[in-house]
Amino acid sequence: MSDLEDFDAFVRARWTATARLAYALTLDHQQAEDLAQEAFTKLWFRWRKVRAESPEGYLRRIVTTTFLSGRRRRWIGERPSATVPDTAVAGGTGQVDDRLALYGAMARLSPRQRAAVYLRYAEDLHEQQVAEILGCTVGTVKQHARRGLEALRSNTGELTTKGIR
């Protein structure tokens, strides 16, 4: 199988998980798509080296570091609106309300806390793996995850179904 075919198959197999990780970090669908595309582009240039090793882990690291370095930039080409155009209707929308509450709580976390919490608990990675992805020590990962979870617990009191407790 050629490099291009091999890479194409890898992208098709990992696109959904990569886009989900990117969305968990950016909390925005368009930015998540851009981040995932940028990560796969960066991976293509290193594909021959990493395809035999662990391309999934390398891709996760690219997504996370690209997100964190992008947060340092001050470019404001797009200005998202602070208000949602439509208002939610109260009623049988418990899971949707919970998801929105969790989304809001995740948005209030720092980028590193958000990355640590998502990688550790949603991606179910070990602390050592998260530390490698974030480029920090295991102790720093524990600290970011603990503080992130504390903030989520205090900011999600309005959850109606099984939530973060």
Side-chain angles (χ1 to χ4, degrees):
M1 186 181 285
S2 74
D3 283 343
L4 183 58
E5 291 170 337
D6 193 27
F7 183 74
D8 190 45
F10 179 78
V11 170
R12 279 195 304 274
R14 296 300 303 163
W15 174 259
T16 302
T18 303
R20 186 174 34 243
L21 169 61
Y23 179 75
L25 297 175
T26 63
L27 301 175
D28 180 88
H29 290 289
Q30 288 77 25
Q31 288 178 2
E33 293 256 337
D34 291 345
L35 180 57
Q37 289 174 6
E38 187 176 351
F40 278 113
T41 301
K42 289 179 178 182
L43 180 64
W44 168 248
F45 292 108
R46 306 281 296 170
W47 183 246
R48 284 190 178 144
K49 253 186 187 179
V50 300
R51 79 177 188 183
E53 297 168 11
S54 174
E56 292 89 2
Y58 192 75
L59 179 61
R60 256 192 237 106
R61 183 172 175 94
I62 291 172
V63 171
T64 306
T65 56
T66 302
F67 164 72
L68 291 173
S69 67
R71 300 293 296 177
R72 288 186 213 116
R73 289 187 222 134
R74 295 292 181 208
W75 182 74
I76 52 170
E78 297 177 17
R79 295 180 187 231
S81 174
T83 59
V84 179
D86 297 326
T87 12
V89 178
T93 58
Q95 288 181 330
V96 174
D97 293 340
D98 289 351
R99 188 176 307 126
L100 290 174
L102 185 58
Y103 173 89
M106 288 288 284
R108 288 188 285 275
L109 297 180
S110 74
R112 285 198 169 271
Q113 285 175 347
R114 190 179 321 144
V117 167
Y118 186 82
L119 290 170
R120 180 73 178 97
Y121 300 105
E123 292 283 321
D124 199 28
L125 299 178
H126 294 284
E127 291 163 341
Q128 181 63 41
Q129 292 172 302
V130 177
E132 290 171 11
I133 290 171
L134 294 178
C136 62
T137 65
V138 173
T140 303
V141 169
K142 289 179 180 180
Q143 181 181 25
H144 285 312
R146 181 182 53 78
R147 288 182 180 169
L149 285 177
E150 286 173 359
L152 287 175
R153 286 182 181 116
S154 67
N155 290 326
T156 54
E158 62 269 17
L159 290 182
T160 58
T161 60
K162 271 184 132 176
I164 301 171
R165 290 289 169 218

